Amino acid sequence: MYLVDTEEGGETVFPNIAAPGGENVGFSECARYHLAAKPKKGTAILFHSIKPTGELERKSLHTACPVIKGIKWSAAKWIHVGHYAMGE
């Protein structure tokens, strides 16, 4: 979830997925050739990291591009498919 607008850069990028149409015009160099989302206050990205079989979804690999201008604040919400025990 994006909490502020970032002026330039800071995109969330999925490097294992090509950009629709081959290139993201108006995105930073880091995000130009991959599926990416610009940080915009009030928006969110939802994706699954495992397939229905329980196998890792390699296309869910993601990273953040450097912020070129402005700031970036985001929050994450994890949704688990089963019981999640920490430190037990």
Side-chain angles (χ1 to χ4, degrees):
M1 296 173 279
Y2 298 117
L3 306 177
V4 297
D5 291 332
T6 301
E7 293 178 62
E8 186 178 354
E11 299 96 340
T12 300
V13 179
F14 293 83
N16 291 335
I17 306 173
E23 183 177 355
N24 292 321
V25 176
F27 283 64
S28 70
E29 187 63 30
C30 169
R32 187 156 296 146
Y33 301 104
H34 304 284
L35 181 65
K38 287 187 175 192
K40 181 165 174 47
K41 183 179 180 178
T43 64
I45 301 171
L46 177 65
F47 60 91
H48 59 272
S49 59
I50 58 172
K51 297 177 182 180
T53 61
E55 179 185 1
L56 177 66
E57 175 53 83
R58 300 215 179 270
K59 291 181 179 177
S60 70
L61 175 72
H62 59 285
T63 188
C65 292
V67 173
I68 298 168
K69 186 176 180 185
I71 59 170
K72 179 180 176 180
W73 282 91
S74 61
K77 170 65 176 163
W78 292 76
I79 302 169
H80 299 277
V81 296
H83 176 72
Y84 184 77
M86 292 183 55
E88 293 181 14

